[in-house]
Amino acid sequence: MSTQRKTLVLGGTVYLSQAIAKHAVARGHHVTVASRGSSGEPPEGVEFVRLDRSTGEGLDALRGKEFDAVFDVARLPALIGPVLDALADNAGHWSFVSTISVYKHFDVVSDELHEPTAADSTDPALEVYGASKIACENLVRERLGDKALITRPGLIVGPGDRNDRLGYWPLRFAEGGEVLVPGPKERPVQWIDVDDYAAWLLDAAEAQVSGTMDAIGAPLGFGAFLDGIADALIEHGVLTERPNLTWTPQEFLLEQGVNPWAGPDSFGMWVPTPDYDGHQSRPTDQAVAAGFRASPLGDTVKRWWDANAGAPRLKAGLSRKKEGEVLAAWHDEPVDADLAELDAKRAFAVPKPETPAYDG
């Protein structure tokens, strides 16, 4: 008689950790979600445990319990040690989500790492994000050994992304008209679908996969990336024809105040070339050998559309007003004064990015 698999997700209320919990519930696992409960609601079907991992006492609710698999996405080294002390000895497998921001060089593919922060660091600054994750990796590796899988994702995209790096493009294409896009077309872009990632991490835990590896899909040129989004929207019945794209040089866009990555006045998924080409061309062979399979871009786009387009609230990208100003400057024409009204219709709201550049 089989025993129900016991899975612990530290976090479990936001984005990737929430997706892991949902997928585990769908597989019939007994899922425990443990967090402060301040960032979101746990998924249906889980056992929720409120904890404060910054203190030993805050972990008492889990201390001594056995789990077949533990998943952790923490970014502060000081929060790793107490969890390992409480849980590592009774965990069958430990999956830690790191980031490709651990790599020192952005412009070339290199495995040279940042120097880690101190193991007790509580510094949340983005400037030490990669270094903090290395310190977290080291703590997990030292304590769990061959029971630990450490994965380094690039951009994680899909429903639930609070930076909405993918979402700008399908929504903007659906609005029609002239669409400003960043050249050059061949600049690489790379991502991992949040559902693909969650499913793979669960598979890897069940198979007892260990080691350290990048978690990312194969890179694609930006032109092919936008073509894939358009194709998916046409197949999904959202568009009847391809969007009218105006390719502009990255130097012009930067001069006009268009920002990379996410947040206000940005193009999601876009970073300048060649400055970031290395981080957008990471190797995929280790993850593939360990069982990772990436969904076609069209499937990722359709999942995002179905989850968000009914009540779109754009959380990253250019406002239509800003896009109109840049297009007017490119064509040396007057600005269309009516574009600001379109922002109100699309419920445009771009907060400061909530998570670091590479993972969610």
Side-chain angles (χ1 to χ4, degrees), residues 79-157:
L79 302 185
I80 296 289
V83 168
L84 292 171
D85 289 342
L87 297 170
D89 290 343
N90 294 314
H93 186 271
W94 197 285
S95 184
F96 179 70
V97 175
S98 185
T99 170
I100 61 171
S101 290
V102 299
Y103 298 116
K104 190 173 182 178
H105 301 288
F106 289 9
D107 56 338
V108 295
V109 176
S110 167
D111 290 336
E112 185 179 356
L113 302 175
H114 291 288
E115 288 296 321
T117 61
D120 60 353
S121 173
T122 58
D123 187 352
L126 291 183
E127 290 76 12
V128 296
Y129 174 60
S132 295
K133 282 286 196 177
I134 295 172
C136 294
E137 287 185 10
N138 291 341
L139 290 167
V140 172
R141 211 178 279 113
E142 290 165 5
R143 187 63 180 267
L144 276 300
D146 61 5
K147 292 198 299 182
L149 173 64
I150 295 169
T151 53
R152 296 169 174 168
L155 289 171
I156 307 172
V157 305

Side-chain angles (χ1 to χ4, degrees), residues 207-262:
Q208 295 288 296
V209 175
S210 62
T212 302
M213 63 192 73
D214 291 346
I216 194 70
L220 197 64
F222 210 80
F225 170 71
L226 295 183
D227 286 344
I229 293 174
D231 289 342
L233 296 178
I234 291 170
E235 291 172 7
H236 213 40
V238 177
L239 298 180
T240 57
E241 58 184 9
R242 306 193 69 77
N244 175 22
L245 306 183
T246 296
W247 290 91
T248 48
Q250 63 180 26
E251 294 77 14
F252 173 79
L253 295 172
L254 293 169
E255 289 171 359
Q256 295 295 317
V258 178
N259 297 317
W261 283 130

Side-chain angles (χ1 to χ4, degrees), residues 168 180 253-254 256-268 270 315-323 325-326 343 348 350-351:
Y168 172 78
L180 181 71
L253 295 172
L254 293 169
Q256 295 295 317
V258 178
N259 297 317
W261 283 130
D265 294 338
S266 71
F267 279 138
W270 170 64
K315 300 186 286 288
L318 293 183
S319 67
R320 290 300 299 273
K321 180 175 182 294
K322 176 66 176 180
E323 182 190 29
E325 291 170 351
V326 178
D343 289 325
F348 188 81
V350 183

